Short mmCIF file of all heavy atoms in Angstrom, two decimals:
data_model
loop_
_atom_site.label_atom_id
_atom_site.label_comp_id
_atom_site.label_asym_id
_atom_site.label_seq_id
_atom_site.Cartn_x
_atom_site.Cartn_y
_atom_site.Cartn_z
N PRO F 48 25.57 86.69 36.22
CA PRO F 48 26.26 85.46 35.84
C PRO F 48 27.56 85.20 36.59
O PRO F 48 28.23 86.13 37.04
CB PRO F 48 26.56 85.67 34.34
CG PRO F 48 25.60 86.70 33.89
CD PRO F 48 25.36 87.59 35.08
N SER F 49 27.90 83.93 36.69
CA SER F 49 29.14 83.52 37.35
C SER F 49 29.44 82.08 36.93
O SER F 49 28.53 81.28 36.76
CB SER F 49 28.96 83.57 38.87
OG SER F 49 30.01 82.88 39.52
N THR F 50 30.71 81.77 36.80
CA THR F 50 31.12 80.36 36.69
C THR F 50 31.88 79.97 37.96
O THR F 50 31.45 79.11 38.73
CB THR F 50 32.00 80.15 35.44
OG1 THR F 50 31.21 80.40 34.29
CG2 THR F 50 32.52 78.71 35.37
N ARG F 51 33.02 80.62 38.20
CA ARG F 51 33.90 80.24 39.32
C ARG F 51 33.26 80.43 40.69
O ARG F 51 33.30 79.54 41.54
CB ARG F 51 35.19 81.08 39.33
CG ARG F 51 36.29 80.57 38.48
CD ARG F 51 37.03 81.74 37.90
NE ARG F 51 36.12 82.43 37.00
CZ ARG F 51 35.94 82.08 35.73
NH1 ARG F 51 36.66 81.14 35.21
NH2 ARG F 51 35.05 82.69 34.96
N THR F 52 32.73 81.62 40.93
CA THR F 52 32.33 81.94 42.30
C THR F 52 31.18 81.05 42.75
O THR F 52 31.22 80.43 43.81
CB THR F 52 31.96 83.43 42.41
OG1 THR F 52 33.01 84.19 41.83
CG2 THR F 52 31.78 83.85 43.86
N ARG F 53 30.15 80.95 41.89
CA ARG F 53 28.99 80.13 42.30
C ARG F 53 29.36 78.66 42.41
O ARG F 53 29.07 78.01 43.42
CB ARG F 53 27.82 80.30 41.31
CG ARG F 53 26.58 79.56 41.75
CD ARG F 53 25.38 79.86 40.87
NE ARG F 53 25.52 79.39 39.52
CZ ARG F 53 25.24 78.15 39.10
NH1 ARG F 53 24.79 77.25 39.96
NH2 ARG F 53 25.39 77.81 37.84
N ARG F 101 25.42 87.25 44.77
CA ARG F 101 26.01 88.14 43.76
C ARG F 101 24.90 88.98 43.17
O ARG F 101 23.79 88.46 42.91
CB ARG F 101 26.70 87.34 42.65
CG ARG F 101 27.09 88.22 41.47
CD ARG F 101 27.98 87.53 40.50
NE ARG F 101 29.30 87.30 41.06
CZ ARG F 101 30.34 86.86 40.36
NH1 ARG F 101 30.22 86.63 39.07
NH2 ARG F 101 31.51 86.67 40.94
N HIS F 129 34.46 92.35 45.96
CA HIS F 129 34.39 90.90 45.72
C HIS F 129 35.31 90.24 46.76
O HIS F 129 36.38 89.73 46.43
CB HIS F 129 34.83 90.59 44.29
CG HIS F 129 34.48 89.22 43.79
ND1 HIS F 129 34.10 88.18 44.62
CD2 HIS F 129 34.48 88.71 42.52
CE1 HIS F 129 33.87 87.11 43.87
NE2 HIS F 129 34.10 87.40 42.60
N GLN F 132 36.85 86.68 46.31
CA GLN F 132 37.93 86.62 45.33
C GLN F 132 39.22 87.09 45.98
O GLN F 132 40.29 86.54 45.75
CB GLN F 132 37.58 87.48 44.10
CG GLN F 132 38.66 87.44 43.02
CD GLN F 132 38.87 86.06 42.41
OE1 GLN F 132 37.91 85.40 42.02
NE2 GLN F 132 40.12 85.60 42.33
N ARG F 162 35.93 94.97 40.44
CA ARG F 162 35.66 94.88 41.89
C ARG F 162 36.70 94.04 42.62
O ARG F 162 36.97 94.26 43.79
CB ARG F 162 34.24 94.32 42.12
CG ARG F 162 34.00 92.96 41.47
CD ARG F 162 32.52 92.62 41.47
NE ARG F 162 32.23 91.40 40.74
CZ ARG F 162 31.03 91.06 40.28
NH1 ARG F 162 30.00 91.86 40.49
NH2 ARG F 162 30.82 89.95 39.64
N THR F 163 37.30 93.09 41.91
CA THR F 163 38.32 92.26 42.58
C THR F 163 39.51 93.11 42.98
O THR F 163 40.12 92.88 44.02
CB THR F 163 38.78 91.09 41.68
OG1 THR F 163 39.52 91.60 40.59
CG2 THR F 163 37.62 90.28 41.17
N PRO F 263 41.74 87.00 38.17
CA PRO F 263 40.56 86.41 38.81
C PRO F 263 39.75 85.55 37.85
O PRO F 263 38.95 84.73 38.29
CB PRO F 263 39.77 87.63 39.28
CG PRO F 263 40.21 88.77 38.39
CD PRO F 263 41.64 88.47 38.05
N LEU F 264 39.96 85.77 36.53
CA LEU F 264 39.18 85.11 35.47
C LEU F 264 37.70 85.50 35.59
O LEU F 264 37.28 85.84 36.69
CB LEU F 264 39.37 83.59 35.50
CG LEU F 264 40.83 83.09 35.40
CD1 LEU F 264 40.85 81.54 35.45
CD2 LEU F 264 41.52 83.59 34.15
N PRO F 265 36.89 85.46 34.56
CA PRO F 265 37.24 84.99 33.23
C PRO F 265 38.19 85.95 32.50
O PRO F 265 38.13 87.15 32.74
CB PRO F 265 35.89 84.95 32.51
CG PRO F 265 35.05 85.98 33.20
CD PRO F 265 35.49 85.95 34.63
N1 CP H 401 36.38 85.47 39.40
C1 CP H 401 35.04 85.46 39.30
O1 CP H 401 34.33 86.16 40.05
O2 CP H 401 34.58 84.68 38.30
P1 CP H 401 33.03 84.39 37.99
O3 CP H 401 32.44 85.70 37.50
O4 CP H 401 33.01 83.31 36.94
O5 CP H 401 32.38 83.99 39.27
#
Side-chain angles (χ1 to χ4, degrees):
S49 166
T50 295
R51 273 145 295 275
T52 311
R53 184 173 66 85
R101 170 169 291 189
H129 195 344
Q132 181 64 49
R162 57 193 174 198
T163 69
L264 304 180

